[in-house]
Amino acid sequence: MALATFFCEYTATDYYATESGMNISGNLDGVSVLSVLKNKIYGQPFTVTKNTNCIYKAQMLINQCGLNVEYTPSGKVLSADHTFDSGSNYLEIVNWLCEAAGYTDVFPDAYGTV
């Protein structure tokens, strides 16, 4: 069971010779998958319109952040428009859409798929 899923990126990598051969030195930055969604902010109010399929819209928003999605389709659509305030992040919006469809909040699996 995975406790956390992270994206990793090497920065400031340099190579140097040692007695045993080549080594890599540098910094490893870890970014959790859900923080990618949390850190992407809408700078203006965002409206999800009536008759929008909640789970499909959530999947599209997650894909816009460059993340893969594994989900069970749902026929649940919104009965009225819903507007999120300026400054709302993608994770808030996606979780709201999932809850509106009767699903739980999103979570990553061991492979980084939401």
Side-chain angles (χ1 to χ4, degrees):
M1 179 174 175
L3 298 177
T5 305
F6 295 94
F7 290 128
C8 293
E9 173 184 86
Y10 277 107
T11 58
T13 304
D14 59 3
Y15 298 87
Y16 57 93
T18 66
E19 294 177 8
S20 61
M22 299 296 285
N23 289 335
I24 298 174
S25 108
N27 300 319
L28 184 65
D29 296 330
V31 179
S32 74
V33 172
L34 294 184
S35 73
V36 172
L37 293 173
K38 188 173 182 182
N39 292 334
K40 186 159 181 164
I41 306 290
Y42 266 96
Q44 57 191 13
F46 176 72
T47 300
V48 184
T49 58
K50 178 181 177 178
N51 295 324
T52 296
N53 182 296
C54 297
I55 298 303
Y56 179 74
K57 185 65 173 180
Q59 180 250 331
M60 296 303 295
L61 291 170
I62 293 168
N63 287 154
Q64 285 177 10
C65 294
L67 301 174
N68 293 321
V69 181
E70 178 70 30
Y71 69 101
T72 303
S74 168
K76 174 66 177 167
V77 295
L78 293 179
S79 59
D81 291 355
H82 184 83
T83 301
F84 296 90
D85 294 333
S86 174
S88 294
N89 64 55
Y90 275 59
L91 185 58
E92 291 173 298
I93 297 167
V94 166
N95 281 337
W96 186 91
L97 289 165
C98 288
E99 289 171 11
Y103 286 55
T104 63
D105 289 348
V106 295
F107 59 91
D109 67 10
Y111 304 102
T113 302
V114 178

